[in-house]
Amino acid sequence: MAAVLQLADVSKNYGSFQAVRNLSFEVERGTICGFLGPNGAGKTSTIRMILGLQGVSSGQITILGADDGRKVRDRIGFLPEERGLYKKMTPVEAISYLGSLKGLPAAEGRKRARDMLEQMGLGDTHKKKMKDLSKGMAQKVQLIASVVHQPEFVILDEPFSGLDPMNQQGLEAMIRSLAANGATVLFSTHVMQHAERLCDKVVLLARGRKAFEGTVAEARATSARYLEIEGALDVNAVAALPGVGTVETLSDIDGIVTLKAALAAGAEAQHTLRAAFVSDLDVRRFQLREPTLHDAFIALTGDHPDDDQRHKATGTQIEEAAQ
Amino acid sequence: MNRAMLIAHREVMAYVKTVGFWLSLLSLPFFAVLGGFMPTLIKRAEPVQNYILVEEAAPAASSGLAAAVREALEKDYDRTVLSSLSIAAVGEAGITGRDTVRKAVDEGGYEAGLAALKQVAPRAGASFKAPRRDKIELPAPAELTSAADGVALDAKAREWVQKDKSEGGQDLSAIIILSNKDSGPAARIWSRRAGNNDMEGQIRDALRDVNRQKAFEASGIDTAVVAQVENYRPDITLLSPRAASGGEVGLRDRLPSIIGVICGFLMWSLIITGASMLMNGVMEEKSNKILEVLLSSVTATELLVGKVLGVAILTLTVMGGWGIISAVGLAATLPDVARDIGAVMLTNGLWLYLLLYLVGGYLMYAVLFAAIGAFCETPRDAQTLMGPVMMAMVVPLLFMQMAVRNPDAVILKVLSFIPPFTPFIMSARAPSQPPLIEVILSIVVMFVFAGLMMWLSGRAFRAGAMSDAKLSWKSFLGAMRHS
């Protein structure tokens, strides 16, 4: 599959602070790519560089065959992390206006806006002002506005933040439908579950560096399977069981502990369970767990995806931002 | 429609749909009309002051003082009437008409003046009403006239003023006790209000007149001669080769400096209003997180140009609206003045210069304000930079008035070439036809500076729109320099 987005050794510096370091990855046409990392990992800076809103400090970005996102901006849809629309506009006005800035004729923009609002269950909001919509509704409107011109490449920066579970589900369906219709989707998030369900490919970012690029399954494979064992247990006794690597205490309530015991590569959970009974350990619950993307992220980066790695902007950053 | 025009269109529509836009469009004509009628309204709203004149008998030489004061007060009223007749004449018949009416009043009094007004300014004459007397004398009650001078008389006066009413039941505002002292005529005014500056001033003037009259008489000078000398109005004709008539200077020739100052102030308020609207709009978009969305669809330059253009269209619409309303109003009420203003505006392409100063001034300030707005989410954020900018903008306000009296003063010439002040100072000077080289040079310098401002502010705008950094002069100038 042809790559529609290529980053080659891209870095972004804000004064002495390196927000993005030697980042390289590719996104193939028609796929959904998750761009994952904690807040402050460099996701938004990378997205802004892809869009051409900020220049790169070094490296090269190619998007839809252009060396600058600004040259193909009409073929890109973008939902920024911090969202907002004109409060006094109606949803139809806001969507058709932003569509018109992407080259969509106003009448066609209004028609598509009405149809898409209907599809998203916002048919009765046509005549309301944006300020009168709930946050979830406004976010849906902004999402529609970012794709109303039917872009080839859609970039969504933290699209799930602020949405309730119901709306998150709706958004996931919409992202799948965009890809099904041939669009390439790159979305950033620090919530791994969304990426796990949606992505053909993930790029993990931590402290400005790429930690991993590949499929979700490949990412999970980098992390060990583990056992969740509950009972009146001694950590050292569990660690001594065959096939068990490191042991972590998840909880301890009145002497009843829940332990997370990593399984060594190739080890069988059944053997470990049998050995536990033989050793007469007080096991009350025993469960084999496959690693999640969340686990993989921790294993790959040593960081927690919910950490905040943000670096506050400085005066120098302003200067850099406009380069 | 290209993207900048789409931005401009949205900008215009966003403001046109607001009540504030229509209020600002109609506010100037409303306040202009209100301002014109305000002195009359204030005058009419003032209550009539009824007063009583009492003259102390001692010393013996005091007789006739009250009569003399009455005469002086009457003369004062005559001057008010003359002033009203003059104002009525000048609107319709210009300065020449005013002089004709004054002459008629001097020679034949009010009736002759009114007849002259009807002749030179028929419409004004037909509707003219002499101003209302704001002070009326009431007869003095016996209690006052029979009271002993000094303390007893004061006690009675105090009593009557406290009662508020005269013998006839009318409101009583003041009792004026006249006396002749060695130093000259004097008065004690018992007033219902503690502060009655108006009455105090009129009585003081009247006593001065009386004193002067007596002094002349004491020196053996004929009072008729004194009156003639005092009423003499020298016939002065101001001539200039640059006058519209080629000789005598008329209202038409005095208009340019008046128009200049009005244009300067108007331009100042239009530019500040337009640039502030722009800044507030950008700040709102920044705080609502719309700027980043827009910048993913248009370039920073398209966005800035679109916004500047949109607010410019609004500003010109407001100015055009004011112009049309003023022109129609003037043409209907003062057709001669309207014709003269039209002639001044068309002379030597003045309207074009004014338009250029408006465009240049607006561009300079609009891009600067927009760049400041791009760094701010609230007006409080903007105050850091706006304080010094606004202080600098007060400078032309202080000097524009000087342009009425002396449009070619050296300080004004110097300020004309300092680009941030050029639009205002030159608008005030331009109607007085300064040397052409100054006009052209100031326009060139202004537009070069405006171009520089657009370039620098464009960079700052781009940087500010994508930045979350705290605004300071250092970060702002850094963004201008390095972006």
Side-chain angles (χ1 to χ4, degrees), chain B residues 325-340:
Chain B
I325 293 170
S326 308
V328 170
L330 263 181
T333 52
L334 305 168
D336 291 347
V337 177
R339 196 171 48 242
D340 284 346

Side-chain angles (χ1 to χ4, degrees), chain B residues 47-53 133-138 161 164 166 169-176 190 192 196 199:
Chain B
V48 173
Q49 290 199 55
N50 294 323
Y51 65 94
I52 291 168
L53 266 183
R133 284 178 187 273
D134 60 353
K135 291 179 187 62
I136 295 172
E137 187 185 353
L138 301 176
V161 165
D164 265 6
S166 70
Q170 294 132 306
D171 289 340
L172 180 61
S173 298
I175 294 171
I176 299 146
W190 279 96
R192 187 168 58 185
N196 196 342
M199 178 69 84

Side-chain angles (χ1 to χ4, degrees), chain A residues 7-23 45-46 48-50 52-61 316-317 319-323:
Chain A
L7 274 78
D9 217 16
V10 170
S11 295
K12 180 68 191 173
N13 304 330
Y14 296 116
S16 58
F17 175 70
Q18 250 195 314
V20 179
R21 308 175 193 202
N22 308 106
L23 181 62
S45 289
T46 306
R48 285 179 174 178
M49 287 190 285
I50 293 170
L53 297 179
Q54 287 182 349
V56 297
S57 299
S58 64
Q60 195 177 356
I61 296 175
T316 320
Q317 183 175 344
E319 297 163 13
E320 293 290 330
Q323 279 179 357

Side-chain angles (χ1 to χ4, degrees), chain A residues 48 53 73-74 78 80 82-87 89 93 97-98 100-103 142 314 318-319 322-323, chain B residues 3 6-7 10 285 288-290 292-297 299 375 463 466-467 469 475 478-479 482-483:
Chain A
R48 285 179 174 178
L53 297 179
R73 59 162 58 97
D74 287 357
F78 172 54
E82 291 190 281
R83 293 179 262 282
L85 287 172
Y86 294 107
K87 290 178 181 169
M89 277 186 167
E93 285 169 346
Y97 173 61
L98 291 177
S100 68
L101 293 179
K102 293 283 192 181
Q142 183 141 23
T314 61
I318 301 163
E319 297 163 13
Q323 279 179 357
Chain B
R3 288 174 175 81
L6 282 169
I7 304 269
R10 195 214 71 82
E285 286 176 354
N288 289 342
K289 315 298 178 195
I290 303 169
E292 193 174 353
V293 180
L294 294 175
L295 286 171
S296 69
S297 303
T299 63
F375 279 87
M466 298 301 300
S467 161
S475 60
H482 295 295
S483 62

